[in-house]
């Protein structure tokens, strides 16, 4: 094959005339440049590790200390513990150079001692979570305790400018809740779902667990909480994600949508090139740790460890459990178009500019070659059952050859790009177009996204973009940060000319894309066909509705004196009750990244307070004043649950880890078995945005993503993702399975709109009544 021959850079043979050596200077030059780039990265990583290892200390203070101690020593003054003279005793001599060496070592000891004391003080300060529970409304003032804490945090963290991972060593461990506290929270959360008899039965099971096997399981978990960095994250990654054998598509992967109110170019290659360049710049910032860590309230850092695996990462299938492979570097991406895979080199002494990448992508779009047998639908294997994919991967790709080479190229790519041959459309007058847009990103055709990659960048042929992301390597907040960078880059910089092409002229001739080669046997084609049947069944059973609510948004909610997230969650509770005629166990994801290696915790929006408010809304005899009072109480309860979850006082991760310990000990617990078997019929998540200062909606009000979504967790439930997109717009991504007769995402979307409308009407009437009385 031409591609295989062109990849040979060096060869030699022994003939009767001697050595016969052939080499390609251009390819060897690329190898040399790759090696230089690799060593530069190693040096940069080493420098960053040293920098982060002594943060918040700064080396300039070390040199200042060296000068002071040297001056003190040569003036004959004594230092604490007579340190300089003690060090001098262990050195070969007492000449000037050795005295200076003793002063330097003494300074280093003093400096490192101060640095690590400050780091430990920071860790103790970050353990304080009282600031989260204090009101931040107008006129409210923090307590004296919190004010002192604020001053101390600013004092001890303000010595140096942090890099991405600078705070990692100062973040506290996730605390382990007491079993009794978790039991109380759990019983309170399920009380609205159970009648008196079932509640008493569950109360008895919880008491038996707490006084019995729970004590033993907690002791083992206590040891893990002290021994490991985070007692939840490794088990969560392994048992919730990597050991799952069901398909990733729809069941696990999630998607994100473009800024739909902006459409700067309809040229597919230009928009793709711009997005690719933005992603590569973001990757460079992560590698160099020049990306600023996210600080809550501009002060408290979030854990950044998940950022390491954004790029160059692939989930590798296994028979019983998958694994996540992350490569330190990759100088190429892989592009899929009309059933063909192309390797595209995106680094040539520097990151290629958008106009240079556009040339490469246009070459792919203009390529009229046909897919090889099995190539077009190959990625269906990544969308199907994991064990099937693992067995096929071992049998077909584990033997080396052209198939193995091409698979390695895909898996080691920085990320995957799909150039779709259909448009991604948005039209406020035709909601079905946005629904189709979301489905294209959630599952596509079932074989045109490489679902194992950390993410696949998708571009419609009209220039709109989106992504499909694998979930095990990180949570949605990290991918939202990446996406926010991509979208805002086009408002910060002028990217397109009048014709819609990328700005600028190429400074070099970019490497041409290389078509990947495949030689798939009849067994391979049969395995692909089997996987495709699974994906087609999944796609035919999923429904998605994306609701654009523009009647009001965060602006009105804040005037009601409640948290916008709590407001929306209460609307979802009311909508579900009206849709199903009952309450259900509700899941809302919240983060625990205030702790080292933290991921997520479950917030349970259904509470005694929210249930009371929903019933009041359905009771015609209940007054507006009483409804508003109950809503505010339920929102306050929700906010406290959110704060508890972020502070490590959640319910579900603790119970999950206790269950894992029980399985290791081969001990059955009726309580844990029942709790972990409860279905989440309403699984919700807020898409975070505005995590950094880049997104300024006052200057660029249309520069906001429409958010993203995921599939339902339960067969008879809904998956609901929402984004509070500015002051006046909300997006809801609602999914359900068509095979369930009791769920309908289109009907549920209408219930959400009705609930939001009724809540606004309630507050308007209450304010009117309040003003009249006043």
């Amino acid at each position: 094959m031409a591609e295989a021959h062109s990849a040979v850079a060096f060869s030699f043979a022994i003939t009767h005339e001697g050595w016969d050596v052939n080499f390609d200077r251009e390819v060897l030059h690329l190898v040399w440049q790759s090696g230089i780039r690799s060593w530069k990265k190693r040096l940069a990583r080493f420098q960053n590790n040293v920098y982060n290892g002594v943060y918040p200390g700064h080396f300039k203070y070390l040199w200042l200390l060296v000068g002071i101690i040297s001056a003190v020593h040569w003036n004959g003054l004594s230092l604490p513990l007579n340190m300089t003279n003690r060090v001098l005793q262990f050195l070969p001599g007492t000449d000037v150079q050795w005295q200076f060496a003793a002063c330097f070592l003494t300074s280093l000891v003093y400096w490192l001692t101060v640095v690590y004391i400050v780091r430990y003080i920071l860790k103790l300060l970050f353990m304080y979570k009282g600031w989260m529970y204090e009101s931040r409304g107008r006129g409210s003032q923090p307590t004296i305790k919190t004010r002192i804490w604020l001053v101390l945090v600013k004092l001890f963290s303000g010595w140096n400018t942090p890099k991405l991972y600078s705070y990692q060593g100062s973040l506290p461990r996730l605390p382990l809740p007491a079993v009794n506290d978790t039991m109380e929270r759990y019983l309170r959360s399920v009380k609205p779902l159970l009648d008196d008899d079932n509640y008493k039965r569950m109360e008895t099971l919880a008491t038996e667990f707490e006084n019995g096997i729970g004590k033993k399981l907690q002791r083992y978990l206590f040891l893990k909480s002290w021994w490991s960095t985070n007692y939840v994250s490794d088990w969560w990654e392994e048992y919730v994600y990597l050991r799952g054998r069901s398909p990733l598509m729809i069941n696990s992967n999630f998607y994100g949508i473009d800024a739909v109110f902006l459409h700067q170019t309809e040229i597919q290659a230009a928009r793709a090139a711009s997005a690719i360049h933005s992603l590569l710049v973001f990757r460079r910032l992560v590698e160099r740790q020049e990306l600023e860590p996210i600080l809550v309230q501009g002060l408290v850092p979030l854990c950044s460890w998940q950022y390491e695996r954004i790029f160059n990462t692939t989930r590798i299938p296994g028979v019983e459990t998958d694994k996540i492979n992350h490569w330190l570097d990759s100088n190429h991406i892989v592009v899929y178009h009309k059933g063909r895979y192309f390797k595209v080199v995106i680094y040539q002494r520097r990151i290629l500019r958008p106009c240079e990448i556009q040339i490469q992508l246009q070459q792919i779009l203009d390529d009229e070659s046909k897919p090889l047998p099995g190539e077009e639908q190959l990625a269906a294997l990544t969308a199907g059952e994991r064990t099937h994919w693992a067995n096929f991967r071992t049998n077909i790709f584990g033997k080396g050859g052209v198939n193995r080479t091409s698979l390695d190229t895909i898996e080691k790519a920085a990320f995957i790009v799909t150039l779709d041959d259909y448009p991604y459309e948005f039209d406020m007058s035709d909601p079905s177009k946005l629904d189709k847009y979301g489905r294209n990103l959630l599952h596509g055709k079932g074989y045109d996204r490489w679902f194992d990659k950390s993410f696949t960048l998708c571009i419609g042929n009209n220039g709109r973009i989106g992504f499909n992301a694998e979930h095990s390597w990180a949570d949605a907040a990290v991918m939202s940060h990446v996406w926010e960078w991509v979208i805002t880059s086009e408002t910060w910089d002028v990217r397109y000319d009048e014709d819609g092409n990328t700005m600028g002229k190429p400074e070099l001739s970019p490497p041409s894309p290389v078509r990947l080669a495949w030689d798939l046997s009849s067994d391979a084609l049969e395995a692909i066909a089997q996987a495709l049947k699974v994906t087609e069944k999944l796609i035919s059973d999923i429904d998605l509705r994306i609701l654009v609510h523009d009647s009001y948004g965060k602006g009105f909610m804040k005037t009601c004196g409640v948290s916008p997230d709590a407001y929306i969650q209460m609307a979802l509770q009311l909508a579900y009750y009206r849709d199903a005629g009952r309450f259900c166990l509700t899941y809302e994801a919240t983060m625990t990244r205030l702790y080292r290696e933290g991921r997520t915790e479950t917030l349970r929006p259904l509470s005694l307070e929210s249930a009371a408010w929903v019933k009041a809304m359905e009771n015609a005899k209940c007054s507006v004043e009483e409804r508003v009072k109950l809503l505010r109480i339920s929102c306050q309860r929700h906010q406290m649950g959110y704060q508890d979850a972020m502070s490590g006082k959640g319910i579900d991760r603790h119970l999950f880890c206790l269950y894992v310990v029980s399985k290791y000990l081969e001990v059955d617990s009726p309580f844990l078995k029942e709790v972990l078997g409860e279905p989440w019929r309403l699984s919700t998540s807020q898409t975070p945005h505005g995590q950094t200062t880049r997104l300024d909606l006052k200057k660029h009000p249309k520069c906001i993503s429409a958010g993203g979504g995921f599939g339902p967790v339960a067969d008879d439930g809904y998956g609901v993702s929402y984004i509070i997109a500015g002051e006046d717009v909300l997006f809801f991504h609602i999914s359900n399975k068509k095979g369930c007769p009791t769920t309908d995402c289109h009907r549920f979307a209408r219930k959400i709109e009705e609930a939001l409308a009724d809540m606004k009407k309630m507050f308007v009437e209450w304010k009117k009544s309040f003003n009249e009385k006043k």
Side-chain angles (χ1 to χ4, degrees), residues 311-323:
F311 302 95
N312 323 332
T313 299
T314 301
R315 175 170 171 169
I316 306 299
V319 176
E320 295 182 356
T321 182
D322 296 351
K323 63 179 179 179

Side-chain angles (χ1 to χ4, degrees), residues 586-618:
T586 307
Y587 180 106
E588 182 186 1
T590 184
M591 67 168 185
T592 55
R593 287 172 58 201
L594 291 171
Y595 300 95
R596 191 169 182 180
E597 295 186 12
R599 291 199 60 161
T600 59
E601 176 59 271
T602 303
L603 172 60
R604 297 184 170 214
L606 176 62
S607 62
L608 292 169
E609 292 80 4
S610 66
W613 171 74
V614 169
K615 290 178 180 177
M617 290 294 290
E618 298 300 277

